[in-house]
Amino acid sequence: MEELGVVFVILGLVLISNTVTCSSGNGVTVSCMMVYEQGGAPAVFDSEECLQWPSLQNHTPNCQFAQLQGDRRSQEDRISCHLHMKIIPLIGENRLQEVRLGIAAVFDGHGGEEASETGSNLLSDYFHLHYVFKMYKLMGQFQGEFTANDSESLQLEVIKEALLSTIYDIDAKFTQASCILSEAVKNNLLSGSTATVIVLFDGKILVANVGDSKAIIFSEIESGQGPEASLSAIELTKDHHPDRADERARIEATGGSVIVRGVPRVNGILAMSRAIGDIYLKRYGVIAVPEVTGWQHISGNYRYLVVASDGIFESLTANDVGDLILKWDSHYVKGPSSTLAEFIVKNAYDKGSTDNLSVIVIPLSLDFAEVKH
């Protein structure tokens, strides 16, 4: 047990080495943990009990994305992408190792860019902080040796819980800023946003979704008509529209209504039933609680992961996007001046989309499918 105690101290130091040491140099202090337990990530960032956490770099070089304002008056979409976040896993084979995690998201704003801007600015920092504190707390509760299966399942559960807490805290932070209606109107804080977030870790994918942006995996299949392959689109998200039976039930149970004005809308206003922000509709069943997939293994047939705002799908289907990927691969493989993400956005706009357009394209090569030491 003495040796294990030394490991805990080392773990605490390593966990914090790339972020911050709270008021003492031994890792997360009791007072800082209390701040976290009481108020989550926003409280830690604001507290004098904990030193300031540095911001993680967004938009890593190998994260391919593209955006276009389209025919809207302003660009309310935001993206966040960090495919090289370094984290410390649970102890395996009695040694510590730093591994890599990828996180990417599309925030499709409406009624202004304030909510989507808040989401994109806070996602990586909040997620990393939640992961560190939850992992540190778990290790503090450690009793005995982890088996390999225990270590893996606990690791994945901590990542999932960190993601859920992150989305909750982003909404709470924005909602708190706009909780006084007069101030919200004055500072234009009545906006809202989708949040479609994917996590890549250890050859697996986790997706959390709020609203009607989408995450899609494209899997290579043989056509049966010859040597050419085709791509099958596997949607990982379900749109949160007010007329979906379970969504409608929640809205109506809180006194809200679903009224069709072009499309079904909450109280005739909002065309989605889950969103970050939209404070004036919270009382009518609009929530920021994401639907989360289970962890899915990255199959050897998976080629691309695409995360996109609904503007892309105003003029394209998921299968259309797959066809564009194949076209780009076959015609531009020698080094195009534009990227695949730009190619998708341009085609969506040319085919008639009038909305803001945003897409993140992640090739699911071996580089992303495995944990990197």
Side-chain angles (χ1 to χ4, degrees), residues 239-289:
D239 292 345
H240 294 131
H241 290 156
D243 60 338
R244 209 178 86 175
D246 54 341
E247 299 295 291
R248 178 192 288 270
R250 186 185 67 252
I251 292 164
E252 293 179 344
T254 59
S257 59
V258 178
I259 300 172
V260 177
R261 290 185 177 170
V263 296
R265 299 174 183 271
V266 180
N267 289 4
I269 301 171
L270 185 62
M272 66 189 71
S273 50
R274 302 193 191 196
I276 290 170
D278 291 303
I279 182 174
Y280 58 100
L281 290 173
K282 291 291 196 208
R283 69 179 67 181
Y284 298 112
V286 173
I287 60 175
V289 178

mmCIF file of all heavy atoms in Angstrom, residues 239-289:
data_model
loop_
_atom_site.group_PDB
_atom_site.id
_atom_site.type_symbol
_atom_site.label_atom_id
_atom_site.label_comp_id
_atom_site.label_asym_id
_atom_site.label_seq_id
_atom_site.Cartn_x
_atom_site.Cartn_y
_atom_site.Cartn_z
ATOM 1 N N ASP A 239 -32.143 13.737 -34.668
ATOM 2 C CA ASP A 239 -32.530 15.143 -34.544
ATOM 3 C C ASP A 239 -33.545 15.328 -33.420
ATOM 4 O O ASP A 239 -34.449 14.498 -33.241
ATOM 5 C CB ASP A 239 -33.142 15.646 -35.847
ATOM 6 C CG ASP A 239 -32.133 15.728 -36.969
ATOM 7 O OD1 ASP A 239 -30.923 15.676 -36.685
ATOM 8 O OD2 ASP A 239 -32.551 15.839 -38.139
ATOM 9 N N HIS A 240 -33.384 16.407 -32.691
ATOM 10 C CA HIS A 240 -34.338 16.761 -31.645
ATOM 11 C C HIS A 240 -35.329 17.775 -32.199
ATOM 12 O O HIS A 240 -35.161 18.983 -32.046
ATOM 13 C CB HIS A 240 -33.604 17.315 -30.417
ATOM 14 C CG HIS A 240 -32.766 16.294 -29.744
ATOM 15 N ND1 HIS A 240 -31.456 16.514 -29.406
ATOM 16 C CD2 HIS A 240 -33.051 15.022 -29.357
ATOM 17 C CE1 HIS A 240 -30.961 15.430 -28.822
ATOM 18 N NE2 HIS A 240 -31.913 14.512 -28.792
ATOM 19 N N HIS A 241 -36.366 17.261 -32.850
ATOM 20 C CA HIS A 241 -37.429 18.096 -33.382
ATOM 21 C C HIS A 241 -38.640 18.016 -32.461
ATOM 22 O O HIS A 241 -38.934 16.956 -31.883
ATOM 23 C CB HIS A 241 -37.799 17.649 -34.797
ATOM 24 C CG HIS A 241 -36.741 17.947 -35.807
ATOM 25 N ND1 HIS A 241 -36.603 17.260 -36.993
ATOM 26 C CD2 HIS A 241 -35.738 18.872 -35.808
ATOM 27 C CE1 HIS A 241 -35.590 17.745 -37.683
ATOM 28 N NE2 HIS A 241 -35.038 18.718 -36.977
ATOM 29 N N PRO A 242 -39.374 19.106 -32.320
ATOM 30 C CA PRO A 242 -40.473 19.142 -31.352
ATOM 31 C C PRO A 242 -41.586 18.133 -31.621
ATOM 32 O O PRO A 242 -42.324 17.772 -30.698
ATOM 33 C CB PRO A 242 -41.007 20.573 -31.486
ATOM 34 C CG PRO A 242 -39.860 21.359 -32.010
ATOM 35 C CD PRO A 242 -39.128 20.427 -32.921
ATOM 36 N N ASP A 243 -41.733 17.680 -32.873
ATOM 37 C CA ASP A 243 -42.810 16.741 -33.173
ATOM 38 C C ASP A 243 -42.409 15.284 -32.978
ATOM 39 O O ASP A 243 -43.218 14.388 -33.205
ATOM 40 C CB ASP A 243 -43.328 16.957 -34.597
ATOM 41 C CG ASP A 243 -42.247 16.754 -35.655
ATOM 42 O OD1 ASP A 243 -41.044 16.855 -35.321
ATOM 43 O OD2 ASP A 243 -42.609 16.510 -36.821
ATOM 44 N N ARG A 244 -41.164 15.034 -32.558
ATOM 45 C CA ARG A 244 -40.783 13.667 -32.199
ATOM 46 C C ARG A 244 -41.584 13.275 -30.968
ATOM 47 O O ARG A 244 -41.673 14.061 -30.015
ATOM 48 C CB ARG A 244 -39.277 13.606 -31.929
ATOM 49 C CG ARG A 244 -38.651 12.271 -32.234
ATOM 50 C CD ARG A 244 -37.157 12.299 -31.984
ATOM 51 N NE ARG A 244 -36.809 12.015 -30.612
ATOM 52 C CZ ARG A 244 -35.567 11.890 -30.153
ATOM 53 N NH1 ARG A 244 -34.545 12.057 -30.990
ATOM 54 N NH2 ARG A 244 -35.326 11.625 -28.890
ATOM 55 N N ALA A 245 -42.144 12.104 -30.944
ATOM 56 C CA ALA A 245 -43.134 11.742 -29.923
ATOM 57 C C ALA A 245 -42.646 11.992 -28.502
ATOM 58 O O ALA A 245 -43.361 12.598 -27.683
ATOM 59 C CB ALA A 245 -43.534 10.281 -30.092
ATOM 60 N N ASP A 246 -41.425 11.560 -28.168
ATOM 61 C CA ASP A 246 -40.930 11.732 -26.805
ATOM 62 C C ASP A 246 -40.631 13.191 -26.493
ATOM 63 O O ASP A 246 -40.835 13.662 -25.368
ATOM 64 C CB ASP A 246 -39.687 10.872 -26.569
ATOM 65 C CG ASP A 246 -38.592 11.107 -27.597
ATOM 66 O OD1 ASP A 246 -38.881 11.646 -28.686
ATOM 67 O OD2 ASP A 246 -37.435 10.737 -27.320
ATOM 68 N N GLU A 247 -40.182 13.937 -27.496
ATOM 69 C CA GLU A 247 -39.897 15.353 -27.293
ATOM 70 C C GLU A 247 -41.199 16.144 -27.109
ATOM 71 O O GLU A 247 -41.296 17.018 -26.237
ATOM 72 C CB GLU A 247 -39.100 15.906 -28.473
ATOM 73 C CG GLU A 247 -37.748 15.229 -28.693
ATOM 74 C CD GLU A 247 -36.785 15.463 -27.553
ATOM 75 O OE1 GLU A 247 -36.330 16.607 -27.378
ATOM 76 O OE2 GLU A 247 -36.485 14.500 -26.812
ATOM 77 N N ARG A 248 -42.184 15.843 -27.923
ATOM 78 C CA ARG A 248 -43.481 16.506 -27.797
ATOM 79 C C ARG A 248 -44.091 16.256 -26.415
ATOM 80 O O ARG A 248 -44.642 17.168 -25.794
ATOM 81 C CB ARG A 248 -44.443 16.014 -28.882
ATOM 82 C CG ARG A 248 -45.839 16.636 -28.782
ATOM 83 C CD ARG A 248 -46.825 15.911 -29.678
ATOM 84 N NE ARG A 248 -46.591 16.193 -31.079
ATOM 85 C CZ ARG A 248 -47.156 17.190 -31.755
ATOM 86 N NH1 ARG A 248 -47.989 18.022 -31.132
ATOM 87 N NH2 ARG A 248 -46.913 17.351 -33.035
ATOM 88 N N ALA A 249 -43.971 15.008 -25.934
ATOM 89 C CA ALA A 249 -44.548 14.669 -24.629
ATOM 90 C C ALA A 249 -43.924 15.506 -23.523
ATOM 91 O O ALA A 249 -44.623 15.982 -22.616
ATOM 92 C CB ALA A 249 -44.349 13.175 -24.353
ATOM 93 N N ARG A 250 -42.616 15.711 -23.565
ATOM 94 C CA ARG A 250 -41.944 16.505 -22.540
ATOM 95 C C ARG A 250 -42.373 17.971 -22.632
ATOM 96 O O ARG A 250 -42.623 18.620 -21.610
ATOM 97 C CB ARG A 250 -40.427 16.397 -22.691
ATOM 98 C CG ARG A 250 -39.662 17.086 -21.558
ATOM 99 C CD ARG A 250 -38.167 17.086 -21.775
ATOM 100 N NE ARG A 250 -37.751 17.904 -22.901
ATOM 101 C CZ ARG A 250 -37.301 17.422 -24.045
ATOM 102 N NH1 ARG A 250 -37.204 16.110 -24.225
ATOM 103 N NH2 ARG A 250 -36.938 18.233 -25.029
ATOM 104 N N ILE A 251 -42.439 18.495 -23.834
ATOM 105 C CA ILE A 251 -42.828 19.896 -24.030
ATOM 106 C C ILE A 251 -44.241 20.134 -23.517
ATOM 107 O O ILE A 251 -44.501 21.094 -22.775
ATOM 108 C CB ILE A 251 -42.715 20.261 -25.523
ATOM 109 C CG1 ILE A 251 -41.247 20.272 -25.953
ATOM 110 C CG2 ILE A 251 -43.352 21.626 -25.807
ATOM 111 C CD1 ILE A 251 -41.046 20.234 -27.446
ATOM 112 N N GLU A 252 -45.162 19.288 -23.885
ATOM 113 C CA GLU A 252 -46.560 19.480 -23.492
ATOM 114 C C GLU A 252 -46.763 19.242 -21.999
ATOM 115 O O GLU A 252 -47.618 19.881 -21.381
ATOM 116 C CB GLU A 252 -47.455 18.558 -24.321
ATOM 117 C CG GLU A 252 -47.483 18.953 -25.801
ATOM 118 C CD GLU A 252 -48.345 18.048 -26.654
ATOM 119 O OE1 GLU A 252 -48.690 16.931 -26.180
ATOM 120 O OE2 GLU A 252 -48.675 18.445 -27.800
ATOM 121 N N ALA A 253 -45.934 18.371 -21.405
ATOM 122 C CA ALA A 253 -46.041 18.112 -19.961
ATOM 123 C C ALA A 253 -45.649 19.337 -19.145
ATOM 124 O O ALA A 253 -46.076 19.482 -17.985
ATOM 125 C CB ALA A 253 -45.169 16.920 -19.576
ATOM 126 N N THR A 254 -44.836 20.223 -19.721
ATOM 127 C CA THR A 254 -44.403 21.426 -19.005
ATOM 128 C C THR A 254 -45.262 22.644 -19.348
ATOM 129 O O THR A 254 -44.954 23.761 -18.922
ATOM 130 C CB THR A 254 -42.930 21.741 -19.329
ATOM 131 O OG1 THR A 254 -42.792 21.941 -20.739
ATOM 132 C CG2 THR A 254 -42.018 20.608 -18.892
ATOM 133 N N GLY A 255 -46.302 22.444 -20.135
ATOM 134 C CA GLY A 255 -47.175 23.555 -20.493
ATOM 135 C C GLY A 255 -46.868 24.197 -21.823
ATOM 136 O O GLY A 255 -47.505 25.179 -22.212
ATOM 137 N N GLY A 256 -45.883 23.653 -22.532
ATOM 138 C CA GLY A 256 -45.556 24.177 -23.852
ATOM 139 C C GLY A 256 -46.437 23.550 -24.908
ATOM 140 O O GLY A 256 -47.264 22.673 -24.637
ATOM 141 N N SER A 257 -46.255 23.986 -26.142
ATOM 142 C CA SER A 257 -47.032 23.444 -27.250
ATOM 143 C C SER A 257 -46.153 23.333 -28.485
ATOM 144 O O SER A 257 -45.117 23.999 -28.591
ATOM 145 C CB SER A 257 -48.244 24.332 -27.546
ATOM 146 O OG SER A 257 -47.830 25.652 -27.871
ATOM 147 N N VAL A 258 -46.546 22.472 -29.390
ATOM 148 C CA VAL A 258 -45.842 22.307 -30.656
ATOM 149 C C VAL A 258 -46.739 22.855 -31.760
ATOM 150 O O VAL A 258 -47.834 22.337 -32.003
ATOM 151 C CB VAL A 258 -45.505 20.831 -30.921
ATOM 152 C CG1 VAL A 258 -44.806 20.683 -32.275
ATOM 153 C CG2 VAL A 258 -44.626 20.277 -29.797
ATOM 154 N N ILE A 259 -46.287 23.934 -32.383
ATOM 155 C CA ILE A 259 -47.077 24.630 -33.400
ATOM 156 C C ILE A 259 -46.295 24.613 -34.708
ATOM 157 O O ILE A 259 -45.095 24.905 -34.725
ATOM 158 C CB ILE A 259 -47.361 26.086 -32.968
ATOM 159 C CG1 ILE A 259 -48.133 26.101 -31.643
ATOM 160 C CG2 ILE A 259 -48.123 26.831 -34.055
ATOM 161 C CD1 ILE A 259 -48.286 27.491 -31.045
ATOM 162 N N VAL A 260 -46.968 24.267 -35.787
ATOM 163 C CA VAL A 260 -46.311 24.220 -37.092
ATOM 164 C C VAL A 260 -46.347 25.601 -37.730
ATOM 165 O O VAL A 260 -47.421 26.145 -38.023
ATOM 166 C CB VAL A 260 -46.984 23.190 -38.016
ATOM 167 C CG1 VAL A 260 -46.327 23.224 -39.406
ATOM 168 C CG2 VAL A 260 -46.881 21.799 -37.421
ATOM 169 N N ARG A 261 -45.184 26.162 -37.910
ATOM 170 C CA ARG A 261 -45.002 27.394 -38.671
ATOM 171 C C ARG A 261 -43.868 27.162 -39.655
ATOM 172 O O ARG A 261 -42.718 27.437 -39.385
ATOM 173 C CB ARG A 261 -44.689 28.567 -37.743
ATOM 174 C CG ARG A 261 -45.876 28.993 -36.892
ATOM 175 C CD ARG A 261 -45.597 30.221 -36.061
ATOM 176 N NE ARG A 261 -46.789 30.642 -35.318
ATOM 177 C CZ ARG A 261 -46.797 31.560 -34.366
ATOM 178 N NH1 ARG A 261 -45.651 32.168 -34.030
ATOM 179 N NH2 ARG A 261 -47.906 31.891 -33.750
ATOM 180 N N GLY A 262 -44.246 26.582 -40.785
ATOM 181 C CA GLY A 262 -43.252 26.098 -41.735
ATOM 182 C C GLY A 262 -42.799 24.710 -41.344
ATOM 183 O O GLY A 262 -42.904 23.755 -42.104
ATOM 184 N N VAL A 263 -42.263 24.600 -40.116
ATOM 185 C CA VAL A 263 -41.886 23.326 -39.507
ATOM 186 C C VAL A 263 -42.406 23.336 -38.071
ATOM 187 O O VAL A 263 -42.740 24.396 -37.534
ATOM 188 C CB VAL A 263 -40.351 23.128 -39.517
ATOM 189 C CG1 VAL A 263 -39.822 23.045 -40.937
ATOM 190 C CG2 VAL A 263 -39.655 24.253 -38.747
ATOM 191 N N PRO A 264 -42.496 22.177 -37.419
ATOM 192 C CA PRO A 264 -42.931 22.164 -36.019
ATOM 193 C C PRO A 264 -41.976 22.960 -35.136
ATOM 194 O O PRO A 264 -40.755 22.824 -35.241
ATOM 195 C CB PRO A 264 -42.911 20.666 -35.670
ATOM 196 C CG PRO A 264 -43.047 19.968 -36.970
ATOM 197 C CD PRO A 264 -42.308 20.810 -37.953
ATOM 198 N N ARG A 265 -42.540 23.791 -34.246
ATOM 199 C CA ARG A 265 -41.738 24.646 -33.389
ATOM 200 C C ARG A 265 -42.297 24.642 -31.965
ATOM 201 O O ARG A 265 -43.517 24.569 -31.768
ATOM 202 C CB ARG A 265 -41.720 26.084 -33.912
ATOM 203 C CG ARG A 265 -41.126 26.229 -35.308
ATOM 204 C CD ARG A 265 -41.259 27.653 -35.836
ATOM 205 N NE ARG A 265 -40.759 27.767 -37.198
ATOM 206 C CZ ARG A 265 -39.499 28.039 -37.515
ATOM 207 N NH1 ARG A 265 -38.608 28.244 -36.558
ATOM 208 N NH2 ARG A 265 -39.127 28.111 -38.777
ATOM 209 N N VAL A 266 -41.405 24.763 -30.994
ATOM 210 C CA VAL A 266 -41.828 24.901 -29.601
ATOM 211 C C VAL A 266 -42.484 26.256 -29.432
ATOM 212 O O VAL A 266 -41.872 27.300 -29.696
ATOM 213 C CB VAL A 266 -40.631 24.769 -28.640
ATOM 214 C CG1 VAL A 266 -41.104 24.918 -27.190
ATOM 215 C CG2 VAL A 266 -39.927 23.430 -28.822
ATOM 216 N N ASN A 267 -43.745 26.246 -29.017
ATOM 217 C CA ASN A 267 -44.530 27.477 -28.867
ATOM 218 C C ASN A 267 -44.536 28.320 -30.143
ATOM 219 O O ASN A 267 -44.651 29.546 -30.096
ATOM 220 C CB ASN A 267 -44.020 28.314 -27.688
ATOM 221 C CG ASN A 267 -44.337 27.679 -26.352
ATOM 222 O OD1 ASN A 267 -44.881 26.572 -26.273
ATOM 223 N ND2 ASN A 267 -43.991 28.361 -25.274
ATOM 224 N N GLY A 268 -44.371 27.653 -31.285
ATOM 225 C CA GLY A 268 -44.358 28.358 -32.561
ATOM 226 C C GLY A 268 -43.095 29.133 -32.825
ATOM 227 O O GLY A 268 -43.032 29.924 -33.771
ATOM 228 N N ILE A 269 -42.039 28.917 -31.990
ATOM 229 C CA ILE A 269 -40.816 29.738 -32.082
ATOM 230 C C ILE A 269 -39.600 28.911 -32.512
ATOM 231 O O ILE A 269 -38.988 29.178 -33.549
ATOM 232 C CB ILE A 269 -40.521 30.417 -30.727
ATOM 233 C CG1 ILE A 269 -41.697 31.297 -30.296
ATOM 234 C CG2 ILE A 269 -39.229 31.239 -30.811
ATOM 235 C CD1 ILE A 269 -41.573 31.823 -28.882
ATOM 236 N N LEU A 270 -39.240 27.924 -31.697
ATOM 237 C CA LEU A 270 -37.973 27.217 -31.868
ATOM 238 C C LEU A 270 -38.175 25.884 -32.581
ATOM 239 O O LEU A 270 -39.002 25.070 -32.157
ATOM 240 C CB LEU A 270 -37.322 26.984 -30.505
ATOM 241 C CG LEU A 270 -35.923 26.348 -30.492
ATOM 242 C CD1 LEU A 270 -34.919 27.253 -31.204
ATOM 243 C CD2 LEU A 270 -35.477 26.071 -29.060
ATOM 244 N N ALA A 271 -37.401 25.667 -33.651
ATOM 245 C CA ALA A 271 -37.572 24.477 -34.481
ATOM 246 C C ALA A 271 -36.825 23.263 -33.948
ATOM 247 O O ALA A 271 -36.678 22.269 -34.655
ATOM 248 C CB ALA A 271 -37.132 24.774 -35.908
ATOM 249 N N MET A 272 -36.335 23.337 -32.729
ATOM 250 C CA MET A 272 -35.715 22.173 -32.091
ATOM 251 C C MET A 272 -36.153 22.127 -30.634
ATOM 252 O O MET A 272 -36.537 23.144 -30.056
ATOM 253 C CB MET A 272 -34.182 22.221 -32.198
ATOM 254 C CG MET A 272 -33.520 23.350 -31.445
ATOM 255 S SD MET A 272 -31.761 23.487 -31.844
ATOM 256 C CE MET A 272 -31.852 24.120 -33.520
ATOM 257 N N SER A 273 -36.101 20.936 -30.062
ATOM 258 C CA SER A 273 -36.624 20.753 -28.703
ATOM 259 C C SER A 273 -35.526 20.633 -27.657
ATOM 260 O O SER A 273 -35.818 20.571 -26.460
ATOM 261 C CB SER A 273 -37.511 19.510 -28.657
ATOM 262 O OG SER A 273 -36.853 18.400 -29.242
ATOM 263 N N ARG A 274 -34.278 20.593 -28.086
ATOM 264 C CA ARG A 274 -33.144 20.604 -27.158
ATOM 265 C C ARG A 274 -32.114 21.594 -27.682
ATOM 266 O O ARG A 274 -31.805 21.612 -28.878
ATOM 267 C CB ARG A 274 -32.506 19.219 -27.004
ATOM 268 C CG ARG A 274 -33.472 18.158 -26.524
ATOM 269 C CD ARG A 274 -32.749 16.901 -26.083
ATOM 270 N NE ARG A 274 -33.691 15.810 -25.866
ATOM 271 C CZ ARG A 274 -33.419 14.690 -25.205
ATOM 272 N NH1 ARG A 274 -32.209 14.498 -24.696
ATOM 273 N NH2 ARG A 274 -34.328 13.749 -25.066
ATOM 274 N N ALA A 275 -31.580 22.389 -26.782
ATOM 275 C CA ALA A 275 -30.603 23.395 -27.195
ATOM 276 C C ALA A 275 -29.888 23.953 -25.982
ATOM 277 O O ALA A 275 -30.423 23.984 -24.875
ATOM 278 C CB ALA A 275 -31.290 24.538 -27.949
ATOM 279 N N ILE A 276 -28.668 24.397 -26.199
ATOM 280 C CA ILE A 276 -27.970 25.211 -25.216
ATOM 281 C C ILE A 276 -28.557 26.619 -25.290
ATOM 282 O O ILE A 276 -28.838 27.131 -26.371
ATOM 283 C CB ILE A 276 -26.463 25.238 -25.512
ATOM 284 C CG1 ILE A 276 -25.839 23.868 -25.232
ATOM 285 C CG2 ILE A 276 -25.752 26.323 -24.722
ATOM 286 C CD1 ILE A 276 -24.414 23.732 -25.706
ATOM 287 N N GLY A 277 -28.780 27.236 -24.145
ATOM 288 C CA GLY A 277 -29.342 28.579 -24.135
ATOM 289 C C GLY A 277 -30.860 28.569 -24.262
ATOM 290 O O GLY A 277 -31.534 27.750 -23.640
ATOM 291 N N ASP A 278 -31.397 29.485 -25.075
ATOM 292 C CA ASP A 278 -32.852 29.632 -25.241
ATOM 293 C C ASP A 278 -33.542 29.707 -23.888
ATOM 294 O O ASP A 278 -34.506 28.988 -23.614
ATOM 295 C CB ASP A 278 -33.425 28.483 -26.068
ATOM 296 C CG ASP A 278 -32.987 28.549 -27.523
ATOM 297 O OD1 ASP A 278 -33.247 29.587 -28.167
ATOM 298 O OD2 ASP A 278 -32.380 27.582 -28.006
ATOM 299 N N ILE A 279 -33.061 30.604 -23.048
ATOM 300 C CA ILE A 279 -33.511 30.679 -21.657
ATOM 301 C C ILE A 279 -35.012 30.893 -21.536
ATOM 302 O O ILE A 279 -35.654 30.343 -20.638
ATOM 303 C CB ILE A 279 -32.745 31.799 -20.910
ATOM 304 C CG1 ILE A 279 -33.191 31.841 -19.448
ATOM 305 C CG2 ILE A 279 -32.887 33.131 -21.582
ATOM 306 C CD1 ILE A 279 -32.398 32.798 -18.599
ATOM 307 N N TYR A 280 -35.611 31.633 -22.462
ATOM 308 C CA TYR A 280 -37.035 31.958 -22.369
ATOM 309 C C TYR A 280 -37.934 30.758 -22.666
ATOM 310 O O TYR A 280 -39.143 30.802 -22.436
ATOM 311 C CB TYR A 280 -37.373 33.112 -23.310
ATOM 312 C CG TYR A 280 -37.053 32.840 -24.759
ATOM 313 C CD1 TYR A 280 -38.044 32.460 -25.652
ATOM 314 C CD2 TYR A 280 -35.750 32.956 -25.232
ATOM 315 C CE1 TYR A 280 -37.753 32.193 -26.975
ATOM 316 C CE2 TYR A 280 -35.446 32.692 -26.550
ATOM 317 C CZ TYR A 280 -36.448 32.308 -27.418
ATOM 318 O OH TYR A 280 -36.139 32.041 -28.733
ATOM 319 N N LEU A 281 -37.327 29.654 -23.184
ATOM 320 C CA LEU A 281 -38.111 28.454 -23.469
ATOM 321 C C LEU A 281 -37.770 27.287 -22.546
ATOM 322 O O LEU A 281 -38.318 26.191 -22.701
ATOM 323 C CB LEU A 281 -37.922 28.033 -24.931
ATOM 324 C CG LEU A 281 -38.546 28.960 -25.984
ATOM 325 C CD1 LEU A 281 -38.137 28.538 -27.382
ATOM 326 C CD2 LEU A 281 -40.061 28.983 -25.844
ATOM 327 N N LYS A 282 -36.878 27.517 -21.582
ATOM 328 C CA LYS A 282 -36.511 26.439 -20.666
ATOM 329 C C LYS A 282 -37.735 25.928 -19.904
ATOM 330 O O LYS A 282 -37.885 24.737 -19.657
ATOM 331 C CB LYS A 282 -35.462 26.925 -19.668
ATOM 332 C CG LYS A 282 -34.089 27.210 -20.254
ATOM 333 C CD LYS A 282 -33.383 25.951 -20.701
ATOM 334 C CE LYS A 282 -31.894 26.234 -20.892
ATOM 335 N NZ LYS A 282 -31.289 25.355 -21.898
ATOM 336 N N ARG A 283 -38.601 26.835 -19.514
ATOM 337 C CA ARG A 283 -39.771 26.439 -18.720
ATOM 338 C C ARG A 283 -40.771 25.632 -19.542
ATOM 339 O O ARG A 283 -41.693 25.047 -18.989
ATOM 340 C CB ARG A 283 -40.462 27.683 -18.155
ATOM 341 C CG ARG A 283 -41.140 28.554 -19.208
ATOM 342 C CD ARG A 283 -41.821 29.766 -18.602
ATOM 343 N NE ARG A 283 -40.852 30.689 -18.052
ATOM 344 C CZ ARG A 283 -41.178 31.823 -17.443
ATOM 345 N NH1 ARG A 283 -42.456 32.148 -17.298
ATOM 346 N NH2 ARG A 283 -40.244 32.629 -16.984
ATOM 347 N N TYR A 284 -40.601 25.629 -20.868
ATOM 348 C CA TYR A 284 -41.533 24.904 -21.731
ATOM 349 C C TYR A 284 -40.921 23.630 -22.314
ATOM 350 O O TYR A 284 -41.344 23.164 -23.371
ATOM 351 C CB TYR A 284 -42.015 25.814 -22.858
ATOM 352 C CG TYR A 284 -42.768 27.019 -22.344
ATOM 353 C CD1 TYR A 284 -42.238 28.299 -22.477
ATOM 354 C CD2 TYR A 284 -43.996 26.879 -21.701
ATOM 355 C CE1 TYR A 284 -42.923 29.414 -22.002
ATOM 356 C CE2 TYR A 284 -44.685 27.988 -21.214
ATOM 357 C CZ TYR A 284 -44.143 29.248 -21.366
ATOM 358 O OH TYR A 284 -44.818 30.350 -20.881
ATOM 359 N N GLY A 285 -39.954 23.076 -21.611
ATOM 360 C CA GLY A 285 -39.449 21.758 -21.988
ATOM 361 C C GLY A 285 -38.238 21.732 -22.884
ATOM 362 O O GLY A 285 -37.778 20.650 -23.269
ATOM 363 N N VAL A 286 -37.682 22.886 -23.257
ATOM 364 C CA VAL A 286 -36.450 22.904 -24.030
ATOM 365 C C VAL A 286 -35.286 22.650 -23.068
ATOM 366 O O VAL A 286 -35.080 23.408 -22.123
ATOM 367 C CB VAL A 286 -36.262 24.241 -24.770
ATOM 368 C CG1 VAL A 286 -34.890 24.300 -25.438
ATOM 369 C CG2 VAL A 286 -37.363 24.424 -25.804
ATOM 370 N N ILE A 287 -34.546 21.591 -23.301
ATOM 371 C CA ILE A 287 -33.473 21.189 -22.397
ATOM 372 C C ILE A 287 -32.153 21.101 -23.152
ATOM 373 O O ILE A 287 -32.126 21.032 -24.381
ATOM 374 C CB ILE A 287 -33.784 19.834 -21.721
ATOM 375 C CG1 ILE A 287 -33.950 18.735 -22.787
ATOM 376 C CG2 ILE A 287 -35.036 19.939 -20.853
ATOM 377 C CD1 ILE A 287 -34.148 17.346 -22.203
ATOM 378 N N ALA A 288 -31.062 21.095 -22.394
ATOM 379 C CA ALA A 288 -29.727 20.958 -22.992
ATOM 380 C C ALA A 288 -29.130 19.599 -22.671
ATOM 381 O O ALA A 288 -27.919 19.409 -22.798
ATOM 382 C CB ALA A 288 -28.813 22.072 -22.492
ATOM 383 N N VAL A 289 -29.954 18.644 -22.283
ATOM 384 C CA VAL A 289 -29.470 17.304 -21.953
ATOM 385 C C VAL A 289 -29.221 16.539 -23.252
ATOM 386 O O VAL A 289 -30.144 16.368 -24.054
ATOM 387 C CB VAL A 289 -30.491 16.544 -21.095
ATOM 388 C CG1 VAL A 289 -29.999 15.133 -20.797
ATOM 389 C CG2 VAL A 289 -30.775 17.302 -19.802
#
